[in-house]
Amino acid sequence: MRNECESIGTKKALHASSAPFVSAVPVSLLPYIAFVLLSAAFLSTFYFTTLPKKSFSSHEALVIVLASLEAGFGIVALFNAVGVYV
């Protein structure tokens, strides 16, 4: 039990002495990044709905994956822009 308490104390001291996290992307750019990504996701989704529905092709899969990634990262950027850090 004593060894566990010493370990926790050591971890707390290490945590207190470590440098704070610094984002690679400035927070002031997040609203613009969110707008661009979400707009691109909307346009990619619109393009997907206009493709002919003969059969499922690799081109459709590429558009689907691209739209999903744009929407996912756009939502995360939007949440971070308003202060909800996910």
Coordinates of all heavy atoms in Angstrom, one line a residue:
M1 N 0.8 -1.2 0.0 CA 0.0 0.0 0.0 C 0.9 1.3 0.0 O 0.6 2.2 -0.7 CB -0.9 0.0 1.2 CG -1.9 1.1 1.2 SD -3.1 0.9 0.0 CE -4.5 1.5 0.8
R2 N 1.9 1.2 0.7 CA 2.8 2.4 0.8 C 3.5 2.7 -0.5 O 3.6 3.8 -0.9 CB 3.9 2.2 1.9 CG 4.8 3.3 2.1 CD 5.7 3.1 3.3 NE 6.7 4.2 3.4 CZ 6.5 5.2 4.1 NH1 5.4 5.4 4.8 NH2 7.5 6.2 4.2
N3 N 3.9 1.6 -1.2 CA 4.5 1.8 -2.5 C 3.6 2.4 -3.5 O 4.0 3.2 -4.3 CB 4.9 0.4 -3.0 CG 6.2 0.4 -3.9 OD1 6.8 1.5 -4.0 ND2 6.5 -0.7 -4.5
E4 N 2.3 2.1 -3.4 CA 1.3 2.7 -4.3 C 1.1 4.2 -4.0 O 1.0 5.0 -4.9 CB -0.1 2.0 -4.1 CG -1.1 2.3 -5.1 CD -2.4 1.5 -4.9 OE1 -2.3 0.3 -4.8 OE2 -3.5 2.2 -4.8
C5 N 1.1 4.6 -2.8 CA 1.0 6.0 -2.4 C 2.2 6.8 -2.9 O 2.1 7.9 -3.4 CB 0.8 6.2 -0.9 SG -0.8 5.6 -0.3
E6 N 3.4 6.2 -2.8 CA 4.6 6.9 -3.3 C 4.5 7.1 -4.8 O 4.9 8.1 -5.3 CB 5.8 6.1 -2.9 CG 6.1 6.2 -1.4 CD 7.3 5.3 -1.0 OE1 7.9 4.7 -1.9 OE2 7.6 5.2 0.2
S7 N 4.0 6.1 -5.4 CA 3.9 6.2 -6.9 C 2.9 7.3 -7.3 O 3.1 8.0 -8.2 CB 3.4 4.8 -7.4 OG 3.2 4.9 -8.8
I8 N 1.8 7.4 -6.6 CA 0.8 8.4 -6.9 C 1.4 9.8 -6.6 O 1.2 10.7 -7.4 CB -0.5 8.2 -6.0 CG1 -1.2 7.0 -6.5 CG2 -1.4 9.4 -6.1 CD1 -2.4 6.6 -5.7
G9 N 2.1 9.9 -5.5 CA 2.8 11.2 -5.2 C 3.8 11.6 -6.3 O 3.9 12.8 -6.7
T10 N 4.6 10.6 -6.7 CA 5.5 10.9 -7.8 C 4.8 11.3 -9.1 O 5.3 12.2 -9.8 CB 6.4 9.6 -8.1 OG1 6.9 9.2 -6.8 CG2 7.4 9.8 -9.1
K11 N 3.7 10.7 -9.4 CA 3.0 11.0 -10.6 C 2.4 12.4 -10.5 O 2.4 13.2 -11.5 CB 1.9 10.0 -10.9 CG 2.4 8.6 -11.3 CD 1.3 7.6 -11.5 CE 1.9 6.3 -11.9 NZ 0.9 5.2 -12.0
K12 N 1.9 12.8 -9.4 CA 1.4 14.1 -9.2 C 2.4 15.2 -9.3 O 2.2 16.2 -9.9 CB 0.7 14.2 -7.8 CG -0.6 13.6 -7.7 CD -1.3 13.8 -6.3 CE -2.6 13.2 -6.2 NZ -3.2 13.5 -4.9
A13 N 3.6 14.9 -8.8 CA 4.7 15.9 -8.9 C 5.2 16.0 -10.4 O 5.4 17.1 -10.9 CB 5.9 15.4 -8.0
L14 N 5.2 14.9 -11.1 CA 5.6 14.9 -12.5 C 4.6 15.6 -13.3 O 4.9 16.4 -14.2 CB 5.7 13.5 -13.0 CG 6.1 13.3 -14.5 CD1 7.5 13.9 -14.7 CD2 6.1 11.8 -14.9
H15 N 3.3 15.4 -13.0 CA 2.2 16.1 -13.7 C 2.3 17.7 -13.5 O 2.1 18.5 -14.4 CB 0.9 15.6 -13.3 CG -0.3 16.3 -13.9 ND1 -0.6 16.2 -15.2 CD2 -1.2 17.2 -13.4 CE1 -1.7 16.9 -15.5 NE2 -2.1 17.5 -14.4
A16 N 2.5 18.0 -12.2 CA 2.6 19.5 -11.9 C 3.8 20.1 -12.5 O 3.7 21.3 -12.8 CB 2.7 19.6 -10.4
S17 N 4.9 19.4 -12.8 CA 6.1 20.0 -13.3 C 6.1 20.0 -14.9 O 7.0 20.6 -15.5 CB 7.3 19.4 -12.8 OG 7.4 18.0 -13.3
S18 N 5.2 19.3 -15.5 CA 5.2 19.2 -17.0 C 4.6 20.4 -17.6 O 3.9 21.2 -17.0 CB 4.4 18.0 -17.4 OG 3.1 18.1 -17.1
A19 N 5.0 20.7 -18.9 CA 4.6 21.8 -19.6 C 3.1 21.7 -20.0 O 2.7 20.5 -20.3 CB 5.5 22.0 -20.8
P20 N 2.3 22.7 -20.1 CA 1.0 22.6 -20.5 C 0.9 22.3 -22.0 O 1.8 22.5 -22.8 CB 0.4 24.0 -20.3 CG 1.5 24.9 -20.2 CD 2.7 24.1 -19.8
F21 N -0.2 21.7 -22.4 CA -0.5 21.3 -23.8 C -0.6 22.6 -24.7 O -1.3 23.5 -24.3 CB -1.7 20.5 -23.9 CG -2.1 20.2 -25.4 CD1 -1.4 19.2 -26.1 CD2 -3.1 20.8 -26.0 CE1 -1.8 18.9 -27.4 CE2 -3.5 20.6 -27.3 CZ -2.8 19.6 -28.0
V22 N 0.0 22.6 -25.8 CA -0.1 23.7 -26.8 C -0.5 23.1 -28.1 O 0.1 22.2 -28.7 CB 1.3 24.4 -27.0 CG1 1.2 25.5 -28.0 CG2 1.8 25.0 -25.7
S23 N -1.6 23.6 -28.6 CA -2.2 23.1 -29.9 C -1.3 23.5 -31.1 O -0.7 24.6 -31.1 CB -3.6 23.7 -30.1 OG -4.1 23.3 -31.3
A24 N -1.3 22.6 -32.1 CA -0.5 22.9 -33.3 C -1.3 23.8 -34.2 O -0.7 24.5 -35.0 CB -0.3 21.6 -34.0
V25 N -2.6 23.9 -34.0 CA -3.5 24.8 -34.8 C -3.9 26.0 -33.9 O -4.5 25.7 -32.8 CB -4.7 24.1 -35.3 CG1 -5.6 25.0 -36.1 CG2 -4.3 22.9 -36.2
P26 N -3.7 27.2 -34.3 CA -4.1 28.3 -33.4 C -5.6 28.3 -33.3 O -6.4 28.0 -34.2 CB -3.7 29.6 -34.2 CG -2.6 29.1 -35.2 CD -2.9 27.7 -35.5
V27 N -6.1 28.6 -32.1 CA -7.5 28.6 -31.8 C -8.3 29.6 -32.6 O -9.4 29.4 -33.0 CB -7.7 28.9 -30.3 CG1 -9.2 28.9 -29.9 CG2 -7.0 27.8 -29.5
S28 N -7.6 30.7 -33.0 CA -8.3 31.7 -33.8 C -8.6 31.3 -35.2 O -9.5 31.8 -35.9 CB -7.4 33.0 -33.9 OG -6.2 32.7 -34.5
L29 N -7.9 30.2 -35.7 CA -8.2 29.7 -37.0 C -9.3 28.6 -37.0 O -9.8 28.3 -38.1 CB -7.0 29.1 -37.6 CG -5.9 30.0 -38.1 CD1 -4.7 29.2 -38.7 CD2 -6.4 31.0 -39.1
L30 N -9.7 28.1 -35.9 CA -10.7 27.0 -35.8 C -12.0 27.4 -36.5 O -12.6 26.5 -37.2 CB -10.9 26.6 -34.4 CG -9.7 25.7 -33.9 CD1 -9.9 25.5 -32.4 CD2 -9.5 24.5 -34.6
P31 N -12.6 28.6 -36.3 CA -13.9 28.8 -37.0 C -13.8 28.8 -38.5 O -14.7 28.3 -39.2 CB -14.3 30.2 -36.5 CG -13.5 30.5 -35.3 CD -12.3 29.7 -35.4
Y32 N -12.7 29.2 -39.0 CA -12.5 29.2 -40.5 C -12.3 27.8 -41.0 O -12.8 27.4 -42.0 CB -11.3 30.1 -40.9 CG -11.5 31.5 -40.4 CD1 -10.8 32.0 -39.4 CD2 -12.5 32.4 -41.0 CE1 -10.9 33.3 -38.9 CE2 -12.7 33.7 -40.5 CZ -11.9 34.1 -39.5 OH -12.1 35.4 -39.1
I33 N -11.5 27.0 -40.3 CA -11.3 25.6 -40.6 C -12.6 24.9 -40.6 O -12.9 24.1 -41.5 CB -10.3 25.0 -39.7 CG1 -8.9 25.6 -39.9 CG2 -10.2 23.5 -39.9 CD1 -7.8 25.2 -38.9
A34 N -13.4 25.1 -39.5 CA -14.7 24.4 -39.4 C -15.6 24.8 -40.6 O -16.3 24.0 -41.2 CB -15.4 24.8 -38.1
F35 N -15.6 26.1 -40.9 CA -16.5 26.6 -42.1 C -16.1 25.9 -43.4 O -16.9 25.4 -44.1 CB -16.5 28.1 -42.2 CG -17.3 28.6 -43.3 CD1 -18.6 28.7 -43.2 CD2 -16.6 29.0 -44.5 CE1 -19.4 29.2 -44.3 CE2 -17.4 29.5 -45.5 CZ -18.8 29.6 -45.4
V36 N -14.8 25.9 -43.6 CA -14.3 25.3 -44.9 C -14.6 23.8 -45.0 O -15.1 23.3 -46.0 CB -12.8 25.6 -45.1 CG1 -12.2 24.8 -46.2 CG2 -12.6 27.1 -45.3
L37 N -14.3 23.1 -43.9 CA -14.5 21.6 -43.9 C -16.0 21.3 -44.0 O -16.4 20.4 -44.7 CB -13.9 21.0 -42.6 CG -12.4 20.9 -42.6 CD1 -11.9 20.4 -41.3 CD2 -11.9 20.0 -43.7
L38 N -16.9 22.0 -43.2 CA -18.3 21.7 -43.3 C -18.9 22.1 -44.6 O -19.8 21.4 -45.1 CB -19.0 22.3 -42.1 CG -18.7 21.7 -40.8 CD1 -19.3 22.6 -39.6 CD2 -19.1 20.3 -40.7
S39 N -18.4 23.2 -45.2 CA -18.9 23.5 -46.6 C -18.5 22.5 -47.6 O -19.3 22.1 -48.5 CB -18.4 24.9 -47.0 OG -18.8 25.9 -46.1
A40 N -17.2 22.0 -47.5 CA -16.8 21.0 -48.4 C -17.6 19.7 -48.2 O -17.9 19.0 -49.2 CB -15.3 20.8 -48.2
A41 N -17.9 19.4 -47.0 CA -18.7 18.2 -46.7 C -20.1 18.3 -47.3 O -20.6 17.3 -47.9 CB -18.8 17.9 -45.2
F42 N -20.7 19.5 -47.2 CA -22.0 19.7 -47.8 C -21.9 19.5 -49.3 O -22.8 18.9 -49.9 CB -22.5 21.1 -47.4 CG -23.8 21.4 -48.1 CD1 -25.0 20.9 -47.7 CD2 -23.8 22.3 -49.2 CE1 -26.2 21.2 -48.3 CE2 -25.0 22.7 -49.8 CZ -26.2 22.1 -49.3
L43 N -20.9 20.1 -49.9 CA -20.8 20.1 -51.4 C -20.5 18.6 -51.8 O -21.0 18.2 -52.9 CB -19.7 21.0 -51.9 CG -20.0 22.5 -51.7 CD1 -18.9 23.4 -52.1 CD2 -21.3 22.9 -52.5
S44 N -19.6 17.9 -51.1 CA -19.3 16.5 -51.4 C -20.6 15.7 -51.3 O -20.8 14.8 -52.2 CB -18.2 16.0 -50.5 OG -17.0 16.7 -50.7
T45 N -21.4 15.9 -50.3 CA -22.6 15.1 -50.2 C -23.6 15.4 -51.3 O -24.2 14.6 -51.8 CB -23.2 15.5 -48.8 OG1 -22.3 15.2 -47.8 CG2 -24.5 14.6 -48.5
F46 N -23.7 16.7 -51.6 CA -24.5 17.1 -52.8 C -24.1 16.4 -54.1 O -24.9 15.9 -54.8 CB -24.6 18.6 -52.9 CG -25.4 19.1 -54.1 CD1 -26.8 19.0 -54.1 CD2 -24.8 19.5 -55.3 CE1 -27.5 19.4 -55.2 CE2 -25.5 19.9 -56.4 CZ -26.9 19.8 -56.3
Y47 N -22.8 16.4 -54.3 CA -22.2 15.8 -55.5 C -22.5 14.3 -55.5 O -22.9 13.7 -56.5 CB -20.7 16.0 -55.5 CG -20.0 15.3 -56.7 CD1 -20.3 15.7 -58.0 CD2 -19.2 14.2 -56.5 CE1 -19.7 15.0 -59.1 CE2 -18.6 13.6 -57.5 CZ -18.8 14.0 -58.8 OH -18.2 13.3 -59.9
F48 N -22.4 13.6 -54.3 CA -22.8 12.2 -54.2 C -24.2 11.9 -54.6 O -24.5 10.9 -55.2 CB -22.5 11.7 -52.8 CG -22.9 10.3 -52.6 CD1 -22.1 9.2 -53.1 CD2 -24.0 10.0 -51.8 CE1 -22.5 7.9 -52.9 CE2 -24.4 8.7 -51.6 CZ -23.6 7.6 -52.2
T49 N -25.1 12.8 -54.2 CA -26.5 12.6 -54.5 C -26.8 12.8 -56.0 O -27.9 12.3 -56.4 CB -27.4 13.5 -53.6 OG1 -27.1 14.9 -53.9 CG2 -27.3 13.2 -52.2
T50 N -26.0 13.5 -56.7 CA -26.2 13.7 -58.1 C -25.5 12.6 -59.0 O -25.8 12.7 -60.2 CB -25.7 15.1 -58.5 OG1 -24.3 15.1 -58.3 CG2 -26.4 16.2 -57.8
L51 N -24.8 11.7 -58.4 CA -24.1 10.7 -59.2 C -25.2 9.7 -59.7 O -26.2 9.4 -59.0 CB -23.1 9.9 -58.4 CG -21.8 10.7 -58.0 CD1 -21.0 9.9 -57.1 CD2 -21.0 11.1 -59.2
P52 N -25.0 9.1 -60.9 CA -26.0 8.1 -61.4 C -25.9 6.9 -60.5 O -24.9 6.5 -60.0 CB -25.5 7.8 -62.8 CG -24.1 8.4 -62.9 CD -24.0 9.4 -61.9
K53 N -27.1 6.3 -60.3 CA -27.2 5.1 -59.4 C -27.2 3.8 -60.1 O -28.0 2.9 -59.8 CB -28.5 5.3 -58.6 CG -28.6 6.5 -57.8 CD -27.5 6.6 -56.7 CE -27.6 7.8 -55.9 NZ -26.4 8.6 -55.8
K54 N -26.4 3.6 -61.2 CA -26.4 2.4 -61.9 C -25.8 1.2 -61.1 O -26.4 0.2 -60.9 CB -25.6 2.5 -63.2 CG -26.2 3.5 -64.2 CD -25.3 3.7 -65.4 CE -25.8 4.9 -66.2 NZ -24.8 5.3 -67.2
S55 N -24.6 1.5 -60.6 CA -24.0 0.5 -59.7 C -23.0 1.2 -58.8 O -22.6 2.4 -59.0 CB -23.2 -0.6 -60.5 OG -22.2 0.0 -61.2
F56 N -22.6 0.5 -57.7 CA -21.7 1.1 -56.8 C -20.3 1.1 -57.3 O -19.7 0.0 -57.6 CB -21.8 0.4 -55.4 CG -21.1 1.1 -54.3 CD1 -21.6 2.2 -53.8 CD2 -19.8 0.6 -53.9 CE1 -20.9 2.9 -52.7 CE2 -19.2 1.3 -52.9 CZ -19.7 2.4 -52.3
S57 N -19.6 2.2 -57.5 CA -18.3 2.2 -58.1 C -17.3 2.7 -57.0 O -17.6 3.2 -56.0 CB -18.2 3.1 -59.3 OG -18.4 4.5 -58.9
S58 N -16.0 2.6 -57.4 CA -15.0 3.1 -56.4 C -15.0 4.6 -56.4 O -14.6 5.2 -55.3 CB -13.6 2.6 -56.9 OG -13.3 3.1 -58.2
H59 N -15.5 5.3 -57.4 CA -15.6 6.7 -57.4 C -16.6 7.2 -56.3 O -16.3 8.2 -55.6 CB -16.0 7.3 -58.8 CG -16.1 8.7 -58.8 ND1 -15.1 9.6 -58.8 CD2 -17.2 9.5 -58.9 CE1 -15.5 10.8 -58.8 NE2 -16.8 10.8 -58.9
E60 N -17.7 6.5 -56.2 CA -18.7 6.8 -55.2 C -18.1 6.6 -53.8 O -18.4 7.4 -52.9 CB -19.9 5.9 -55.4 CG -20.8 6.3 -56.6 CD -22.0 5.4 -56.7 OE1 -22.1 4.4 -56.0 OE2 -22.8 5.7 -57.6
A61 N -17.4 5.5 -53.6 CA -16.8 5.2 -52.3 C -15.8 6.3 -51.9 O -15.7 6.7 -50.8 CB -16.1 3.8 -52.3
L62 N -15.0 6.8 -52.9 CA -14.1 7.9 -52.6 C -14.8 9.1 -52.2 O -14.4 9.8 -51.2 CB -13.2 8.2 -53.8 CG -12.2 9.3 -53.7 CD1 -11.1 8.9 -52.7 CD2 -11.6 9.6 -55.0
V63 N -15.9 9.5 -52.8 CA -16.7 10.6 -52.5 C -17.3 10.5 -51.1 O -17.3 11.4 -50.3 CB -17.8 10.9 -53.5 CG1 -18.7 12.0 -53.1 CG2 -17.2 11.3 -54.9
I64 N -17.8 9.3 -50.8 CA -18.4 9.0 -49.5 C -17.4 9.2 -48.4 O -17.6 9.8 -47.3 CB -19.0 7.6 -49.4 CG1 -20.2 7.5 -50.3 CG2 -19.4 7.2 -48.0 CD1 -20.6 6.0 -50.6
V65 N -16.2 8.6 -48.6 CA -15.1 8.7 -47.5 C -14.7 10.1 -47.4 O -14.5 10.6 -46.2 CB -14.0 7.8 -47.9 CG1 -12.8 8.0 -47.0 CG2 -14.4 6.3 -47.8
L66 N -14.5 10.8 -48.5 CA -14.1 12.2 -48.4 C -15.1 13.1 -47.6 O -14.8 13.9 -46.8 CB -13.9 12.8 -49.8 CG -13.4 14.2 -49.9 CD1 -12.0 14.3 -49.3 CD2 -13.4 14.7 -51.3
A67 N -16.4 12.9 -48.0 CA -17.4 13.7 -47.3 C -17.5 13.4 -45.8 O -17.7 14.3 -45.0 CB -18.8 13.4 -48.0
S68 N -17.3 12.1 -45.5 CA -17.4 11.7 -44.0 C -16.2 12.3 -43.3 O -16.4 12.8 -42.1 CB -17.3 10.2 -43.9 OG -18.5 9.6 -44.5
L69 N -15.0 12.3 -43.8 CA -13.9 12.8 -43.2 C -14.0 14.3 -43.0 O -13.7 14.9 -41.9 CB -12.6 12.5 -43.9 CG -12.1 11.1 -43.9 CD1 -10.9 10.8 -44.8 CD2 -11.7 10.7 -42.4
E70 N -14.5 15.0 -44.0 CA -14.7 16.5 -44.0 C -15.7 16.8 -42.9 O -15.5 17.7 -42.1 CB -15.1 17.0 -45.3 CG -14.0 17.0 -46.4 CD -14.6 17.2 -47.8 OE1 -15.8 17.1 -48.0 OE2 -13.8 17.5 -48.7
A71 N -16.8 16.1 -42.8 CA -17.8 16.4 -41.8 C -17.3 16.1 -40.4 O -17.5 16.8 -39.5 CB -19.1 15.5 -42.1
G72 N -16.6 15.0 -40.3 CA -16.1 14.6 -38.9 C -15.1 15.6 -38.4 O -15.2 16.1 -37.3
F73 N -14.1 15.9 -39.2 CA -13.1 16.9 -38.7 C -13.7 18.3 -38.6 O -13.3 19.1 -37.8 CB -11.9 16.9 -39.7 CG -11.0 15.8 -39.4 CD1 -10.9 14.8 -40.4 CD2 -10.3 15.7 -38.3 CE1 -10.0 13.7 -40.2 CE2 -9.4 14.6 -38.1 CZ -9.3 13.6 -39.0
G74 N -14.7 18.6 -39.5 CA -15.4 19.9 -39.4 C -16.2 20.1 -38.1 O -16.2 21.2 -37.5
I75 N -16.9 19.0 -37.7 CA -17.6 19.1 -36.4 C -16.7 19.2 -35.2 O -17.0 20.0 -34.3 CB -18.5 17.8 -36.3 CG1 -19.6 17.8 -37.3 CG2 -19.0 17.7 -34.9 CD1 -20.6 18.9 -37.1
V76 N -15.6 18.5 -35.2 CA -14.6 18.6 -34.1 C -14.0 20.0 -34.1 O -13.9 20.6 -33.0 CB -13.5 17.6 -34.3 CG1 -12.4 17.8 -33.3 CG2 -14.0 16.2 -34.0
A77 N -13.7 20.6 -35.3 CA -13.2 22.0 -35.3 C -14.2 23.0 -34.8 O -13.9 23.9 -34.1 CB -12.7 22.3 -36.7
L78 N -15.5 22.7 -35.2 CA -16.6 23.6 -34.8 C -16.7 23.6 -33.2 O -16.9 24.6 -32.6 CB -17.9 23.3 -35.5 CG -19.1 24.1 -35.1 CD1 -18.9 25.6 -35.6 CD2 -20.3 23.5 -35.8
F79 N -16.8 22.4 -32.7 CA -16.9 22.2 -31.2 C -15.7 22.9 -30.5 O -15.9 23.6 -29.5 CB -16.9 20.8 -30.8 CG -18.3 20.1 -31.0 CD1 -19.3 20.7 -31.6 CD2 -18.5 18.9 -30.4 CE1 -20.5 20.2 -31.8 CE2 -19.7 18.3 -30.5 CZ -20.8 18.9 -31.2
N80 N -14.5 22.7 -31.0 CA -13.3 23.3 -30.4 C -13.4 24.9 -30.5 O -12.9 25.6 -29.7 CB -12.0 22.8 -31.0 CG -11.8 21.4 -30.5 OD1 -12.2 20.9 -29.5 ND2 -11.0 20.7 -31.3
A81 N -13.9 25.4 -31.6 CA -14.0 26.8 -31.9 C -14.9 27.5 -30.8 O -14.7 28.6 -30.5 CB -14.5 27.1 -33.3
V82 N -16.0 26.8 -30.4 CA -16.9 27.4 -29.4 C -16.5 27.0 -28.0 O -17.3 27.4 -27.1 CB -18.4 27.0 -29.7 CG1 -18.8 27.5 -31.1 CG2 -18.6 25.5 -29.6
G83 N -15.4 26.3 -27.8 CA -15.0 26.0 -26.4 C -15.3 24.7 -25.9 O -15.0 24.4 -24.7
V84 N -15.9 23.8 -26.7 CA -16.2 22.4 -26.2 C -15.0 21.6 -26.7 O -15.0 21.2 -27.9 CB -17.5 21.9 -26.8 CG1 -17.8 20.5 -26.3 CG2 -18.6 22.8 -26.4
Y85 N -14.0 21.3 -25.9 CA -12.8 20.6 -26.3 C -13.0 19.1 -26.2 O -13.1 18.6 -25.2 CB -11.6 21.1 -25.5 CG -11.4 22.5 -25.7 CD1 -11.7 23.5 -24.8 CD2 -10.8 23.0 -26.9 CE1 -11.5 24.8 -25.0 CE2 -10.6 24.3 -27.2 CZ -10.9 25.2 -26.2 OH -10.7 26.6 -26.4
V86 N -13.2 18.5 -27.4 CA -13.4 17.1 -27.5 C -12.2 16.3 -27.9 O -11.3 16.8 -28.5 CB -14.6 16.7 -28.4 CG1 -15.9 17.2 -27.9 CG2 -14.4 17.3 -29.8

